[in-house]
Amino acid sequence: MAETLTINRKEQIMQVAARLFKNKGYEATSMRDIAAELGIEAASLYHHIKSKEEILTAICFDMANRFVTALKEVNDIYFNAEERLRMAIQYHVQISCDYLDATAVFLNEWRSLPEPSLSEFKKMRDSYEKQFRIIVKDGETEDIFDNVDEKFAALTILSSVNWIHQWYKADGNMNPSQISKKLADIIIGGIRKKLITDPHYKP
Amino acid sequence: MAETLTINRKEQIMQVAARLFKNKGYEATSMRDIAAELGIEAASLYHHIKSKEEILTAICFDMANRFVTALKEVNDIYFNAEERLRMAIQYHVQISCDYLDATAVFLNEWRSLPEPSLSEFKKMRDSYEKQFRIIVKDGETEDIFDNVDEKFAALTILSSVNWIHQWYKADGNMNPSQISKKLADIIIGGIRKKLITDPHYKP
DNA sequence: ATTTGCCTACCAAACGTTAGGTAAAATGGC
DNA sequence: GCCATTTTACCTAACGTTTGGTAGGCAAAT
């Protein structure tokens, strides 16, 4: 979550919670843990938030909306499949790096969402994944991508980008733009149509 | 875990626990949950196992050893980097599919391991990842792989194979061998050296 | 005077686990 | 095969601790 000069207590709670949820897991993080990080008592958190579940729900749906909105933008601005895929990966990587903690929570802790949020979340996630499938399918139609199983390709793409929260460091030697370019190169290189004149190519 | 005709109670506990840990998470799964699945009382579990943590530790280290052993075999049997990488992916995929529940626990629940198991686990995991890096590096030396950042490539490879537990179904339309071949094709296709005669290639 | 944001005290429920007991199964001697 | 003894695998009851959360109070800020 983006840093501002002064943030209110609720926002502090969300940020600390996201960090602790990422590192320990939602279930293993107590309200007393969160409060201690903020230098207050657990009961005081309830002045600002309704419940522990409210925190998790907010983090997960905030991230879901970011990813969905970014992908919509990609589809609105770009037209050919390779560009869309590159940009989709780039946006996804950028958001993941900008919101590392919340992304980790989004990816790993949704199982603890209460119903009906859980079902709703799964729908959003499935819809997001389907968009990647459509892009791959369009690439095949445009004769630029191999005839891969587009569900498989989409899952592979998403799985490779969804691990960044485990190793990315803002002060590391790769920035989000470089990461997304390298990732896109590998993935797109892997699903792009090959010519038989390529002596390294084995069908 | 492989199915045998009759398994003892301890093995039943491990299997049920792995399934529940995968679906609900370790922390959110109580001993009463596990016992209920087996039709007994939670206190009865302690006749067969020492503690909840013992279950998690056993699952995680059992899987770690499987992956490590398989990779060692790959390195002993195969010699060129592409073959090693293909086989490493194949073994990894096969094990993941054979032990879906335990793999998910291995990948997602290690954070709850007690010390010193946690530190030991991280070492094993880092060592396993380093082996993938060596394979990629060797491929560059053999002039078959692009000059990619081998840490990045290894992480990308592992991230793409480590999502299978989320969507693989034994009765689906792809078996582990097909999955590993497709995955290896995409990944290796993505990191393989390209010729400038390839008209689709943009440096 | 009212609002805000914290505190302390407390609650009911849930947790992993221990201890003692008992019935059924297994074992070994005859 | 029978029987006494031992072992096994469960049960109930209970423990100490932790959890998410409520309620009332108070001091500082508005």
Side-chain angles (χ1 to χ4, degrees):
Chain A
M1 306 207 178
E3 193 81 359
T4 52
L5 209 56
T6 52
I7 55 176
N8 61 41
R9 184 61 99 186
K10 179 164 183 177
E11 190 57 31
Q12 289 176 358
I13 291 169
M14 305 303 284
Q15 290 194 10
V16 164
R19 175 153 52 79
L20 292 179
F21 291 169
K22 172 185 188 280
N23 292 331
K24 303 176 67 173
Y26 170 77
E27 298 287 344
T29 301
S30 71
M31 298 302 270
R32 288 170 177 83
D33 291 335
I34 297 169
E37 282 283 323
L38 292 163
I40 59 175
E41 297 295 322
S44 308
L45 296 175
Y46 294 89
H47 181 81
H48 306 275
I49 50 96
K50 197 170 86 182
S51 66
K52 188 184 182 187
E53 287 183 337
E54 189 194 65
I55 303 177
L56 180 63
T57 302
I59 294 175
C60 288
F61 280 87
D62 180 52
M63 292 315 299
N65 285 318
R66 285 180 198 280
F67 287 122
V68 165
T69 301
L71 191 50
K72 185 172 183 328
E73 194 172 309
V74 167
N75 283 329
D76 286 347
I77 297 178
Y78 301 95
F79 294 99
N80 75 59
E82 182 170 341
E83 265 185 339
R84 281 157 66 203
L85 187 51
R86 280 188 182 276
M87 294 314 299
I89 290 170
Q90 178 170 327
Y91 277 45
H92 194 99
V93 170
Q94 186 69 55
I95 291 168
S96 299
C97 296
D98 287 345
Y99 303 94
L100 261 191
D101 295 337
T103 295
V105 174
F106 166 80
L107 290 170
N108 296 329
E109 307 299 328
W110 55 267
R111 283 174 301 176
S112 296
L113 286 173
E115 288 291 359
S117 301
L118 180 58
S119 299
E120 198 185 327
F121 181 87
K122 284 181 184 172
K123 278 204 206 105
M124 285 178 81
R125 186 194 58 186
D126 291 346
S127 170
Y128 183 73
E129 176 204 306
K130 185 174 172 185
Q131 290 298 313
F132 273 82
R133 279 203 258 167
I134 290 171
I135 295 178
V136 174
K137 185 72 185 179
D138 288 350
E140 291 173 18
T141 302
E142 293 168 26
D143 206 38
I144 194 69
F145 293 157
D146 252 344
N147 185 20
V148 291
D149 178 324
E150 63 268 6
K151 179 173 181 180
F152 181 81
L155 291 169
T156 300
I157 293 162
L158 287 172
S159 65
S160 58
V161 296
N162 282 336
W163 216 254
I164 290 171
H165 65 86
Q166 291 224 20
W167 59 265
Y168 173 73
K169 291 186 179 58
D171 59 349
N173 58 4
M174 285 170 77
N175 67 40
S177 181
Q178 290 168 324
I179 293 169
S180 65
K181 182 174 189 312
K182 281 174 179 286
L183 250 186
D185 283 348
I186 292 176
I187 299 295
I188 291 173
I191 63 175
R192 193 188 262 138
K193 228 158 184 132
K194 277 108 179 152
L195 293 186
I196 51 176
T197 55
D198 180 350
H200 292 289
Y201 175 57
K202 301 169 196 161
Chain B
M1 305 207 179
E3 193 80 358
T4 52
L5 210 55
T6 52
I7 56 178
N8 61 41
R9 184 62 98 183
K10 180 164 184 176
E11 191 56 33
Q12 288 176 358
I13 292 169
M14 305 304 285
Q15 291 194 8
V16 164
R19 175 155 51 82
L20 293 179
F21 293 170
K22 171 182 188 280
N23 293 331
K24 303 176 64 173
Y26 171 78
E27 298 286 345
T29 301
S30 71
M31 298 302 271
R32 289 167 177 87
D33 291 336
I34 297 170
E37 281 282 323
L38 292 163
I40 60 175
E41 297 295 322
S44 308
L45 296 174
Y46 293 88
H47 181 80
H48 305 274
I49 51 98
K50 197 170 86 181
S51 65
K52 188 182 182 188
E53 287 182 337
E54 189 195 65
I55 303 178
L56 180 63
T57 304
I59 293 174
C60 288
F61 280 87
D62 180 52
M63 292 314 299
N65 285 318
R66 283 181 199 280
F67 287 122
V68 166
T69 300
L71 191 50
K72 185 174 183 324
E73 195 172 308
V74 167
N75 283 329
D76 286 347
I77 296 179
Y78 301 95
F79 294 101
N80 76 58
E82 182 170 341
E83 265 185 338
R84 281 155 68 205
L85 187 51
R86 280 188 183 277
M87 294 312 299
I89 290 170
Q90 179 169 327
Y91 276 46
H92 193 100
V93 170
Q94 187 68 55
I95 292 168
S96 299
C97 295
D98 286 346
Y99 303 95
L100 260 193
D101 296 337
T103 295
V105 174
F106 166 78
L107 291 170
N108 296 329
E109 306 300 327
W110 55 268
R111 283 175 299 175
S112 298
L113 286 172
E115 288 290 358
S117 300
L118 179 58
S119 299
E120 199 184 324
F121 181 86
K122 284 180 185 172
K123 278 204 207 107
M124 286 179 82
R125 185 193 60 187
D126 292 347
S127 169
Y128 183 73
E129 176 204 303
K130 186 175 171 185
Q131 291 297 312
F132 273 83
R133 277 203 260 167
I134 291 172
I135 295 178
V136 174
K137 186 70 185 179
D138 288 349
E140 291 173 17
T141 303
E142 292 167 30
D143 206 38
I144 194 70
F145 294 158
D146 252 344
N147 186 18
V148 289
D149 178 322
E150 63 268 7
K151 179 172 182 183
F152 181 81
L155 291 170
T156 301
I157 292 161
L158 287 171
S159 66
S160 60
V161 296
N162 283 336
W163 216 254
I164 290 171
H165 64 85
Q166 291 224 20
W167 59 265
Y168 172 75
K169 291 186 177 56
D171 60 349
N173 58 5
M174 285 170 76
N175 66 41
S177 180
Q178 290 168 322
I179 294 169
S180 65
K181 180 172 190 312
K182 280 175 182 283
L183 250 186
D185 283 348
I186 292 176
I187 298 296
I188 290 174
I191 64 175
R192 191 187 263 138
K193 230 164 180 114
K194 276 110 185 150
L195 293 184
I196 51 176
T197 54
D198 180 352
H200 292 291
Y201 176 55
K202 300 168 195 163

